Amino acid sequence: MASTNTFSDFKLATELPAWERLQQLHKSLGKDISVKEEFSKDPKRFEKYSKTFRNHDGSEILFDFSKNLINDEIVSALIQLAKEAKVTQLRDNMFAGEHINFTEDRAVYHVALRNTRGKRMKVDGKDVTPGVHSVLDHMKEFSEQVRSGAWKGFTGKKITDVVNIGIGGSDLGPVMVSEALKHYSSDIRVHYVSNIDGTHIAETLRSVNAETTLFLVASKTFTTAETITNANTAKNWFLEHAGGEKSHIAKHFVALSTNAEEVAKFGIDTKNMFGFESWVGGRYSVWSAIGLSVAIYVGFDNFWSFLKGAEAVDKHFTETPLEDNIPLLGGLLSVWYNNFYDAQTHLVAPFDQYLHRFPAYLQQLSMESNGKSVTRGNVFSNYSTGSILFGEPATNAQHSFFQLVHQGTKVIPADFILAAQSHNPIENNLHQRMLASNFFAQAEALMVGKDEDKVKSEGATGGLVPHKVFSGNRPTTSILAQKITPAALGALIAYYEHVTFTEGAIWNINSFDQWGVELGKVLAKVIGKELDTSSPISSHDASTNGLINKFKQWA
């Protein structure tokens, strides 16, 4: 049932008493709080501020918040902020299928996609679970046919390559998960095309064989300009290699869409169409039919475990008291730094090469969700929202931007992620031990720093001394998994989804629309028509006119 709540009872964050209390705490001790000294005062600080999440398969993930700029008083005030901002009420509304995405009048129900237990979950009075499980059953059947070789191309050969054509959430999620779970992959190769730059599709098509390639066209409406342009290019290429026989398209193209008419017009058999509902946002869609490429790549059993890992975090998020609620604490810390330390950025550095696309995925999740300046009360906020999230896998990152994190003038809260067990324990596990030593050392160094006396004791003199001083007291959260399994990855993604949710709830913004994506697309359509002619244009500002006309001269 649609929510009738107009959010009039949700206040601006700055109107909440806990917000004022946090301002006072930051002014009185927040700037001067020394994490190093806090550890000296409280030998149980690590036990107090670290939380262990236990997954459905018995594996665990440790979240260590103890190196953050907090003490009991600050944490208590942050928890009170969550209560006053009614985070749990909004959370419960989301899990009840209410239309909390009020600007589009939609439920936000990606959590129903990982409802592996099959409990009743309703939107507008209708249980959506049977529909979700019907799509999952279809994905299981189809992925197993492709993997086993039962699904064959137009010449009777087994599929060897899958090309997923999408953009945004239809690309970033499947790419990231496929890379993260590569260890579990079969002999089928997966490729992802998203950029409208012709180079992306051209280079991909050069690497595959039309007889053995399956294309997944991922577009809910089947009208997304970039996706359909790339899909048509792929179709034309395929037909060139298939003797122009359009009936062969049905064996090599599958639609992840809900628009049966457009899918059929393209030439895809609608029996090979995998749908998802309007309450599935793009950046939350990897759990849906959009994850078909993942299911083919790593097998449906692993995809199912991936869903169960996320479902376990959902259970934790909805049932755990606020004081021990891991995603809620992560979101509150983000607010603490963004709004009280004026931190503009948030670093996520996975110490795991398989997770090399994880920060890129989180960028969309975080910045498309919370890059808003208007509150749920339809007024502009008078406080900062939406951190700039960035990251790269370490140890590479240590040789690029860690200098700024250690000695720059900006506060950059950081999340470090490591698996204790490597999927590739080569050289008697030497590589993993070296990786882990950096994981532990970087967080410790950012906390303890190096003072002037220490620098001088190491032999530095004169003007060189200040250059070697590290202020320390730079906040980090360490996330240590036993192993990056499908379940662990599902849990990590769901953790960051709920962190993002918590941030948006505190900031009183709608984290589930993305109107900011639209304007550039609308203007691009206008300019696209102008680029179809060779004549100069003068319909824009002087800069845009000049650039377009120069492009026409050179193109």
Side-chain angles (χ1 to χ4, degrees):
M1 147 175 209
S3 173
T4 57
N5 189 348
T6 61
F7 302 107
S8 59
D9 57 338
F10 288 77
K11 296 181 179 180
L12 285 168
T14 48
E15 296 173 343
L16 303 174
W19 189 276
E20 184 177 351
R21 175 62 180 147
L22 285 162
Q23 286 180 319
Q24 293 169 351
L25 285 171
H26 178 256
K27 185 176 181 180
S28 63
L29 56 84
K31 289 182 179 179
D32 299 320
I33 190 169
S34 166
V35 177
K36 185 177 177 181
E37 291 178 8
E38 292 295 321
F39 271 104
S40 298
K41 289 189 290 186
D42 184 0
K44 293 187 178 295
R45 181 177 172 88
F46 170 73
E47 289 84 352
K48 182 190 298 180
Y49 292 133
S50 62
K51 310 291 179 183
T52 300
F53 167 74
R54 189 174 180 84
N55 215 325
H56 73 92
D57 58 359
S59 64
E60 294 180 341
I61 303 175
L62 174 65
F63 292 80
D64 176 18
F65 298 117
S66 65
K67 291 189 177 77
N68 282 283
L69 306 177
I70 52 174
N71 61 17
D72 291 350
E73 201 172 5
I74 292 167
V75 171
S76 177
L78 287 168
I79 296 294
Q80 183 60 29
L81 179 66
K83 293 176 180 177
E84 293 176 6
K86 303 182 180 180
V87 174
T88 56
Q89 178 182 326
L90 192 67
R91 175 201 66 193
D92 293 345
N93 290 349
M94 178 175 73
F95 277 84
E98 295 192 17
H99 289 211
I100 65 169
N101 178 358
F102 69 97
T103 62
E104 298 178 298
D105 193 21
R106 291 177 182 172
V108 176
Y109 225 30
H110 49 277
V111 293
L113 299 170
R114 53 233 196 185
N115 171 26
T116 66
R117 292 174 290 174
K119 64 181 180 180
R120 290 169 66 84
M121 299 184 75
K122 294 182 178 181
V123 173
D124 299 328
K126 178 184 176 183
D127 183 10
V128 303
T129 301
V132 168
H133 281 252
S134 175
V135 173
L136 286 169
D137 289 343
H138 191 192
M139 291 171 66
K140 182 177 191 293
E141 177 188 30
F142 183 79
S143 62
E144 289 178 350
Q145 284 182 328
V146 174
R147 287 168 62 86
S148 69
W151 184 280
K152 293 179 169 54
F154 71 96
T155 60
K157 294 181 179 178
K158 181 182 185 294
I159 297 298
T160 60
D161 293 84
V162 172
V163 178
N164 187 90
I165 301 176
I167 198 167
S170 299
D171 173 77
L172 287 166
V175 169
M176 180 274 290
V177 176
S178 294
E179 288 296 304
L181 300 182
K182 184 178 287 188
H183 176 79
Y184 298 88
S185 65
S186 65
D187 57 350
I188 295 177
R189 296 177 292 271
V190 292
H191 314 264
Y192 291 90
V193 174
S194 56
N195 201 333
I196 195 59
D197 183 344
T199 298
H200 204 179
I201 185 71
E203 288 291 345
T204 302
L205 294 177
R206 288 191 188 105
S207 67
V208 297
N209 183 333
E211 296 178 67
T212 58
T213 298
L214 177 69
F215 294 91
L216 311 182
V217 184
S219 172
K220 184 186 294 186
T221 62
F222 225 72
T223 57
T224 308
E226 298 94 337
T227 298
I228 299 307
T229 299
N230 278 326
N232 278 317
T233 298
K235 181 173 73 171
N236 294 336
W237 171 87
F238 172 76
L239 288 172
E240 286 178 13
H241 292 80
E245 182 52 60
K246 292 185 178 181
S247 64
H248 293 331
I249 291 173
K251 294 184 177 68
H252 291 267
F253 284 80
V254 166
L256 314 180
S257 177
T258 56
N259 191 336
E261 183 179 351
E262 289 297 324
V263 167
K265 192 185 300 182
F266 186 90
I268 295 175
D269 188 337
T270 53
K271 288 187 296 185
N272 300 325
M273 189 173 86
F274 298 79
F276 46 101
E277 301 297 330
S278 63
W279 37 259
V280 181
R283 55 192 174 278
Y284 301 94
S285 64
V286 71
W287 319 103
S288 73
I290 293 297
L292 181 59
S293 59
V294 177
I296 295 172
Y297 189 49
V298 303
F300 190 83
D301 287 348
N302 284 319
F303 185 76
W304 185 257
S305 183
F306 171 66
L307 298 180
K308 287 182 74 68
E311 182 184 34
V313 171
D314 292 341
K315 188 174 188 294
H316 171 92
F317 186 54
T318 54
E319 297 179 3
T320 306
L322 301 188
E323 292 76 11
D324 295 310
N325 197 303
I326 297 170
L328 182 122
L329 291 171
L332 289 174
L333 284 171
S334 179
V335 171
W336 175 234
Y337 295 124
N338 185 304
N339 296 104
F340 300 93
Y341 282 84
D342 296 324
Q344 299 298 306
T345 58
H346 184 160
L347 166 62
V348 177
F351 284 68
D352 190 307
Q353 186 59 30
Y354 281 134
L355 291 176
H356 71 106
R357 294 295 293 167
F358 195 51
Y361 173 79
L362 295 182
Q363 284 176 340
Q364 185 195 24
L365 172 63
S366 176
M367 294 194 282
E368 191 168 83
S369 294
N370 290 339
K372 316 286 171 60
S373 56
V374 177
T375 71
R376 294 195 299 261
N378 306 320
V379 297
F380 285 92
S381 69
N382 58 358
Y383 44 83
S384 172
T385 65
S387 298
I388 301 166
L389 192 146
F390 74 106
E392 285 290 332
T395 55
N396 289 13
Q398 295 170 198
H399 296 269
S400 58
F401 50 75
F402 267 46
Q403 169 64 45
L404 177 65
V405 180
H406 277 282
Q407 288 186 305
T409 58
K410 297 172 172 57
V411 176
I412 303 177
D415 294 355
F416 295 159
I417 304 170
L418 175 73
Q421 300 170 32
S422 172
H423 287 296
N424 299 290
I426 59 176
E427 300 293 338
N428 196 28
N429 216 28
L430 171 64
H431 289 261
Q432 190 68 4
R433 292 198 304 275
M434 288 181 66
L435 184 70
S437 69
N438 281 274
F439 171 82
F440 300 125
Q442 288 294 336
E444 183 179 39
L446 284 164
M447 181 188 75
V448 302
K450 184 188 289 189
D451 62 23
E452 187 174 313
D453 290 340
K454 178 66 172 173
V455 171
K456 288 179 178 177
S457 72
E458 293 175 348
T461 59
L464 186 59
V465 171
H467 294 278
K468 292 195 170 187
V469 168
F470 291 72
S471 65
N473 218 38
R474 310 246 168 163
T476 59
T477 295
S478 296
I479 302 173
L480 180 62
Q482 287 181 273
K483 198 170 192 174
I484 301 300
T485 62
L489 180 65
L492 283 173
I493 297 171
Y495 164 77
Y496 279 103
E497 284 182 352
H498 296 320
V499 165
T500 302
F501 172 90
T502 300
E503 293 170 336
I506 298 291
W507 290 325
N508 194 27
I509 57 177
N510 181 6
S511 299
F512 304 105
D513 60 14
Q514 53 279 326
W515 299 107
V517 177
E518 302 300 320
L519 180 58
K521 289 184 175 181
V522 171
L523 295 179
K525 288 181 180 178
V526 174
I527 294 173
K529 293 178 181 177
E530 294 173 337
L531 294 178
D532 289 338
T533 70
S534 58
S535 58
I537 57 96
S538 59
S539 54
H540 304 276
D541 62 272
S543 171
T544 306
N545 288 336
L547 289 167
I548 291 173
N549 291 332
K550 182 58 70 174
F551 174 85
K552 287 187 175 190
Q553 289 178 24
W554 287 352

